[in-house]
Amino acid sequence: MLLLWIIIFCVSLFILIKAADYFTESAEKIGYMLKISPFIVGVTIISIGTSLPELATSIIAIIQNQTEIVVANAIGSNIANILLIVGLTALISGRLVVKRSLIDIDLPLLATATALIVIILWDKQVLFGEGIICILGYIVYAAYTIKEGREEKTKLEGIVPGEDIPATREKRHQSRKKRQDHTFKLIFILIFSSIFI
């Protein structure tokens, strides 16, 4: 019986790693094709996708009436992401470069989110209304990040020489159509791999 569970664990781990690989690759390509910065792709698509295992585990824990696992899972995962993941990638790459906006905006928001969860958990329970506050907080953060990314993209965009020439417009139209077809394929891979995650 133990051998069976070891095999199941290894197979599950392999599927998770491969699915995460496809998920990350497709999200990165979608971001590149839609001209979205890698940071925004990470904050939105990849952050949600990589949180799916925690979400699935938490839902199963609730069904089994093991609610302590939910909070411990979320907090433990964030600590691992901040300290273990950042630490290991810094060791492997030698140096991680971050934008000024990460220090000025995202770190204070991280501190605020941490303070909020401490306040919420102070009475050793998370109520329905507090859950709504948490979700709204994430939506506000994601919306703000996307808005900032669009403004940055608008500043960087310029007029492409020859864009008013009909032949150039036709070529750009065909290229756009091909890009859209490829984007739909990537979205399908993204959704499919997220199910396996």
Side-chain angles (χ1 to χ4, degrees):
M1 190 66 178
L2 178 63
L3 182 63
L4 175 66
W5 284 113
I6 290 170
I7 293 167
I8 291 170
F9 176 77
C10 292
V11 170
S12 301
L13 190 61
F14 174 77
I15 291 169
L16 176 63
I17 290 166
K18 289 304 292 180
D21 186 35
Y22 279 113
F23 185 91
T24 307
E25 188 179 342
S26 59
E28 185 183 4
K29 285 180 180 175
I30 289 168
Y32 176 76
M33 292 178 78
L34 298 176
K35 296 178 181 177
I36 301 170
S37 74
F39 180 76
I40 292 175
V41 173
V43 165
T44 54
I45 303 172
I46 293 178
S47 67
I48 292 170
T50 54
S51 297
L52 290 176
E54 286 92 342
L55 180 61
T57 306
S58 297
I59 290 168
I60 292 165
I62 289 168
I63 291 167
Q64 295 178 351
N65 202 29
Q66 299 288 334
T67 55
E68 279 187 351
I69 291 175
V70 177
V71 177
N73 183 24
I75 293 172
S77 173
N78 279 289
I79 291 170
N81 280 327
I82 294 166
L83 300 178
L84 181 64
I85 305 302
V86 172
L88 284 175
T89 50
L91 286 176
I92 293 165
S93 67
R95 183 177 67 170
L96 295 176
V97 180
V98 296
K99 287 185 177 180
R100 183 74 186 170
S101 60
L102 181 70
I103 297 165
D104 293 341
I105 299 164
D106 296 282
L107 285 181
L109 283 171
L110 173 64
T112 305
T114 305
L116 178 64
I117 202 68
V118 168
I119 293 164
I120 286 171
L121 291 174
W122 200 256
D123 59 352
K124 299 181 181 178
Q125 59 181 344
V126 182
L127 303 175
F128 181 84
E130 292 169 337
I132 295 291
I133 290 168
C134 290
I135 292 168
L136 287 174
Y138 178 77
I139 290 169
V140 168
Y141 170 68
Y144 174 78
T145 306
I146 292 165
K147 180 178 169 288
E148 284 293 303
R150 281 180 181 166
E151 285 178 2
E152 189 177 326
K153 177 187 164 187
T154 305
K155 286 176 187 175
L156 293 172
E157 280 180 344
I159 297 168
V160 180
E163 66 179 348
D164 292 322
I165 301 169
T168 306
R169 283 206 304 268
E170 179 62 28
K171 199 176 286 183
R172 286 174 65 201
H173 175 71
Q174 289 173 356
S175 175
R176 194 180 297 121
K177 190 178 183 304
K178 190 183 285 185
R179 199 164 56 237
Q180 283 174 345
D181 292 340
H182 190 56
T183 304
F184 285 129
K185 182 184 172 185
L186 289 170
I187 290 169
F188 174 77
I189 293 169
L190 188 78
I191 293 167
F192 200 66
S193 59
S194 69
I195 291 166
F196 278 95
I197 290 173

